[in-house]
Amino acid sequence: MATSDRLGIPSDRHEAAPRPGAAVPADDRVVRKATVAGTVGSFVEWYDYGIYGLLVTYLAVNIMGNADSGGLFLTNLGFLISFLARPFGSVICGYLGDRLGRKRLLATLLVLISGATAALGLIPSRATIGIAAPALLVLLRILQGFSAGGEVAGAMSFVGEYAPDRRRNFMMSFIAVGSFVALLFGSTLSAVLITALGDDAMTSWAWRVPFLVAVPLGYVGFYIRSRLEETPHFTALREQKSVARNPLREALTSKRHLKAIALTIFLPALNGPGYYLLFVYMPTYLKTSLGDHNFSMVRALLVTACSLVAIVICIPLMARLSDRVGRKPVLAISAVAMAVVSYPMFLLITTGRFGLACLGTVALAISFSGHAAVVHTMLAEMFPTSVRYSAYSIGFSISTVIFGGSAPLVMTDLIESTGSNLIPAFASMLTAVITLVTVAFLRETKGRPLEAH
């Protein structure tokens, strides 16, 4: 029995034969290998990227010199800087990916971001080398941001161009699962280190360990990605000699593509509070922003871990639902859910009680899971293969600068200036409305073949 049958996934073996000149569908075994490669790469990339947010207080002490509001501000500024570098990575990597192919570029990006992450763990403290410490952090964060700018759209395009039309969202959803499992792994590793070694050792030297773990993870991800073939859809373009000469110009001079890029900026608005506030910034928020109700770092990481387990379970279920009922309904329901539950759930979180905080973050994670499962599949399906990497990565990178990268910095500043620790709830509600409005302008893409041009 085929693996797809055992999993209860509709088989695509009996789909109609491809049109002349169209991409030849990959068999189930190759699709599974591509999905594993995309998922492992996503795990490595988002572990590297997320561990910075999870350990921001330790970075503030060692790299910026203190963990007061000024040190946290500067460290969160380093978080934002990497996002400002993402559009540059998206432009360059998108161009190369649409001109030369996805496979080798994605393997190279994994090496870059893993190397930059490991180097973060080797930066001497500010007490040792002075201002050079934060300067090195900024340079490495720029390299991480550049790499991430090309990674997201590339990995999603890679798996999407392998996946069968009728279960594309389900196959692509495992890339999102990989990113959240990476944060779960990072949270668990950090909690274990703090528990086993103590906060003093963590502050002194053990904070470096999670960053250095990027070395073996990066090697595994590179090995898996480098052994795959190019995607069927890009291969078909190459064989037809119809690869875009200048995909950036083609994407930015077409009204159709410009409209899709605009939608790509605003549709993932909820991704900023949903991903970066709920899962990356949340430990810092719980440890520093609740006044008398502040959590210890271990308890804060455990609260985050509970929400990560919930969303990892829910994402494949939401993706399968999307493959059955459509992308737009799942995105809309998720946005409405986030708008409705954000305020009451943050009220539970700010009580400072562990059980209520877990309940609040799990409810938010379940509400957000529909968006996390579907948004990248929708974005990939909006563009043809000839410009998919370029256009998708440009729009999404701009979106993350506006709605994602500034989130920890803005939230910390607003919480201090207003005295309200419910600011993240309002941010979640506002971006949910932006995403919901954008859904109204989308064309349903469920089950449609990917366009070539």
Side-chain angles (χ1 to χ4, degrees):
M1 183 181 292
T3 299
S4 58
D5 296 332
R6 292 200 302 269
L7 292 174
I9 304 167
S11 174
D12 295 272
R13 291 190 297 266
H14 305 300
E15 288 187 349
R19 301 180 307 276
V24 177
D27 62 39
D28 284 349
R29 182 181 61 83
V30 177
V31 171
R32 289 195 299 272
K33 286 178 62 178
T35 304
V36 169
T39 302
V40 171
S42 175
F43 175 93
V44 174
E45 196 255 340
W46 286 107
Y47 169 81
D48 293 353
Y49 216 68
I51 202 70
Y52 184 96
L54 294 173
L55 299 176
V56 67
T57 54
Y58 298 107
L59 289 167
V61 171
N62 286 276
I63 306 301
M64 299 303 173
N66 59 72
D68 62 12
S69 59
L72 281 175
F73 176 86
L74 291 173
T75 312
N76 283 325
L77 186 61
F79 191 84
L80 173 60
I81 285 171
S82 70
F83 283 82
L84 297 177
R86 286 178 73 144
F88 298 97
S90 69
V91 168
I92 295 172
C93 296
Y95 176 87
L96 294 174
D98 282 333
R99 283 285 295 148
L100 305 177
R102 286 75 161 113
K103 171 195 162 183
R104 288 177 183 157
L105 181 61
L106 286 171
T108 302
L109 289 174
L110 211 55
V111 172
L112 288 177
I113 196 167
S114 297
T117 302
L120 277 171
L122 296 174
I123 298 176
S125 68
R126 180 157 186 166
T128 303
I129 62 172
I131 194 68
L136 285 172
L137 181 142
V138 168
L139 288 175
L140 292 171
R141 289 297 290 170
I142 289 173
L143 181 56
Q144 282 187 316
F146 179 92
S147 304
E151 165 68 24
V152 177
M156 290 291 179
S157 297
F158 185 82
V159 175
E161 290 172 9
Y162 264 108
D165 298 335
R166 291 196 297 161
R167 51 193 175 108
R168 183 178 297 117
N169 199 171
F170 181 71
M171 306 307 293
M172 291 178 68
S173 71
F174 288 99
I175 301 179
V177 169
S179 69
F180 289 105
V181 171
L183 288 181
L184 178 60
F185 176 73
S187 298
T188 304
L189 176 61
S190 301
V192 168
L193 288 172
I194 295 170
T195 303
L197 301 174
D199 199 57
D200 290 341
M202 194 72 182
T203 303
S204 175
W205 61 270
W207 66 272
R208 300 178 184 276
V209 174
F211 290 97
L212 297 177
V213 170
V215 174
L217 291 179
Y219 175 79
V220 171
F222 175 81
Y223 177 80
I224 293 175
R225 279 191 173 178
S226 63
R227 291 175 64 84
L228 278 175
E229 299 300 322
E230 190 54 77
T231 72
H233 286 266
F234 188 82
T235 299
L237 281 186
R238 182 179 284 163
E239 290 175 350
Q240 297 165 29
K241 301 188 185 303
S242 55
V243 174
R245 289 180 177 273
N246 190 331
L248 287 175
R249 183 172 62 189
E250 189 172 313
L252 298 176
T253 57
S254 163
K255 290 183 179 180
R256 175 172 67 109
H257 297 333
L258 285 174
K259 177 184 176 182
I261 290 173
L263 293 173
T264 304
I265 294 173
F266 292 103
L267 181 64
L270 183 56
N271 218 55
Y275 188 91
Y276 297 103
L277 289 186
L278 292 184
F279 303 106
V280 176
Y281 175 67
M282 183 59 73
T284 302
Y285 172 76
L286 293 172
K287 187 175 187 293
T288 63
S289 300
L290 303 186
D292 294 336
H293 301 304
N294 281 348
F295 284 71
S296 69
M297 180 54 82
V298 171
R299 288 170 71 84
L301 289 170
L302 288 175
V303 170
T304 305
C306 290
S307 62
L308 286 166
V309 170
I311 199 167
V312 164
I313 293 171
C314 289
I315 283 176
L317 301 177
M318 292 297 104
R320 287 197 65 183
L321 181 64
S322 166
D323 280 332
R324 293 179 181 275
V325 305
R327 319 299 189 219
K328 293 180 64 174
V330 177
L331 286 169
I333 291 170
S334 182
V336 170
M338 286 294 286
V340 170
V341 307
S342 288
Y343 187 79
M345 291 306 105
F346 268 97
L347 282 177
L348 292 181
I349 293 169
T350 56
T351 63
R353 298 175 63 180
F354 180 79
L356 292 179
C358 289
L359 177 62
T361 55
V362 167
L364 287 165
I366 294 171
S367 300
F368 178 63
S369 64
H371 182 89
V374 177
V375 65
H376 286 289
T377 300
M378 188 82 196
L379 298 181
E381 292 173 337
M382 286 164 57
F383 299 102
T385 303
S386 58
V387 300
R388 180 171 297 116
Y389 202 152
S390 300
Y392 175 2
S393 60
I394 290 171
F396 185 70
S397 291
I398 294 173
S399 181
T400 56
V401 171
I402 299 171
F403 300 109
S406 59
L409 182 66
V410 172
M411 291 303 103
T412 301
D413 187 58
L414 287 177
I415 289 170
E416 286 188 6
S417 61
T418 65
S420 172
N421 51 25
L422 292 173
I423 291 296
F426 300 128
S428 179
M429 294 162 67
L430 174 62
T431 53
V433 171
I434 294 172
T435 290
L436 184 61
V437 171
T438 308
V439 170
F441 293 90
L442 299 176
R443 182 190 70 166
E444 182 58 66
T445 56
K446 174 187 76 78
R448 293 174 179 266
L450 296 177
E451 297 179 4
H453 298 283

